[in-house]
Amino acid sequence: MKVLVSYFGVTLAVILLGIGIFGLTNSKNVIRILLSSEVILNASILFVFSLSSVLGRTYLPIVFSIFAVGMALTEVVVAFAAIILYFRQKGSLEVD
Amino acid sequence: MSLTSDFQLGIFAFFSVVAMASAIFIVRARNVFYSAIALAFLGVSVAILIADISPEAYSIYSAFHLLLYVGATVVFLSISLVMFKGIDVKEGRIPWSGPLSVIATAVIFIVILVTVGNLPSISPKTVDLQSLAVEILQGYWFPAIILVIGLLTTVIEAISLARRE
């Protein structure tokens, strides 16, 4: 049962990854690109936990994901500062 | 299959649908503010799915995901997006993005199936907060310092943004 849920988790993570890749490549808006990368981050975290559940890893996925989410928070703030600067210079959020 | 297993599977199925619907809304909504709100729903769904995979081992991280990711990152994104005017997104006209994402997804899925399809299954141990803190402070102290420095940078940058420097 637990293995079934874990493999469903892996499948869902791959589907979310596909949706994230679609959003990343289909949009020219920088905020949409940032949000699509967040979808990919969520997919990767779900994948790590699903696979670790099958492999019996306990602390590794938790520690890895805590650092990943902490760094994602930093990355979002830095990216948003860059986006604000881009918007002030270009007057638009569209990338060329 | 017991009642608990059915319940666990039902919760997993429901929040899988919510997660997929949120992800599709994020990449298709015309206004990115609503995309950021949908990201909160995706974060909540992923946290519940992680807790559902192994409640005794991963529920601590699930709470962390709700607090730090949904509570900080997504709220920061949503509030920051209010600063922009006219953030409607033009429809994408990139014809190869759909096939590319489908092909990439299929390839990754096949690689995962081949790689981990026949691995033996081992259940993870129960985790409490004290043992997790000891594990981080003893085994991963250097990444923890890097994370603290990164978060301090975030605070400085947020102050800088607020002062419009």
Side-chain angles (χ1 to χ4, degrees), chain B residues 5 76 118 123 133 148-149:
Chain B
S5 302
F76 171 81
N118 295 320
S123 289
V148 169
I149 293 170

Side-chain angles (χ1 to χ4, degrees), chain A residues 1-12 14-29 31-32 34-36 38-39 41-43 45-63 65-67 69-85 87-88 93-94, chain B residues 1 5 8-9 12 16 19-20 23-24 26-29 32 35-36 39 42-43 46 49-50 52-54 56-58 61 64-65 68-69 72-73 76-77 80-81 83-84 87 89 92 94 96-98 100-101 104-105 108-109 112 116-117 119-125 127 131-132 135-136 140 143-144 146-147 150-151 154 157 161 164:
Chain A
M1 169 59 207
K2 192 169 277 185
V3 176
L4 188 66
V5 169
S6 299
Y7 282 122
F8 281 164
V10 170
T11 310
L12 177 65
V14 175
I15 291 170
L16 289 179
L17 176 72
I19 295 171
I21 291 172
F22 177 76
L24 208 60
T25 53
N26 195 41
S27 181
K28 290 185 172 179
N29 185 295
I31 297 175
R32 173 65 50 80
L34 180 66
L35 291 172
S36 300
E38 293 296 315
V39 174
L41 172 80
N42 275 289
I45 289 174
L46 183 62
F47 178 76
V48 165
F49 276 97
S50 303
L51 204 59
S52 300
S53 172
V54 177
L55 298 175
R57 302 279 185 185
T58 306
Y59 290 106
L60 191 67
I62 298 175
V63 173
S65 301
I66 284 174
F67 290 137
V69 168
M71 279 299 157
L73 172 61
T74 310
E75 168 245 315
V76 163
V77 177
V78 172
F80 220 87
I83 288 171
I84 288 171
L85 281 176
F87 185 69
R88 279 181 192 162
L93 291 172
E94 306 295 314
Chain B
M1 216 180 276
S5 302
Q8 193 181 2
L9 205 57
F12 198 90
S16 298
M20 279 192 287
I24 290 169
I26 287 166
V27 300
R28 297 300 295 172
V32 283
S35 295
L39 187 62
L42 178 65
V46 167
L49 289 170
I50 288 169
D52 198 46
I53 287 171
S54 181
E56 64 276 7
Y58 301 144
Y61 176 76
F64 183 85
H65 195 83
L68 187 64
Y69 187 76
T73 311
F76 171 81
L77 265 174
S80 305
L81 285 174
M83 292 196 295
F84 292 101
I87 49 176
V89 180
I94 304 168
W96 46 263
S97 64
L100 173 78
S101 54
T105 306
I108 291 168
F109 190 64
I112 289 168
V116 302
L119 288 175
S121 172
I122 310 161
S123 289
K125 294 178 285 187
V127 175
S131 59
L132 179 63
E135 181 77 16
I136 290 175
Y140 301 93
I146 299 291
L147 181 64
L151 291 174
T154 307
E157 193 170 335
L161 272 178
R164 290 174 173 266

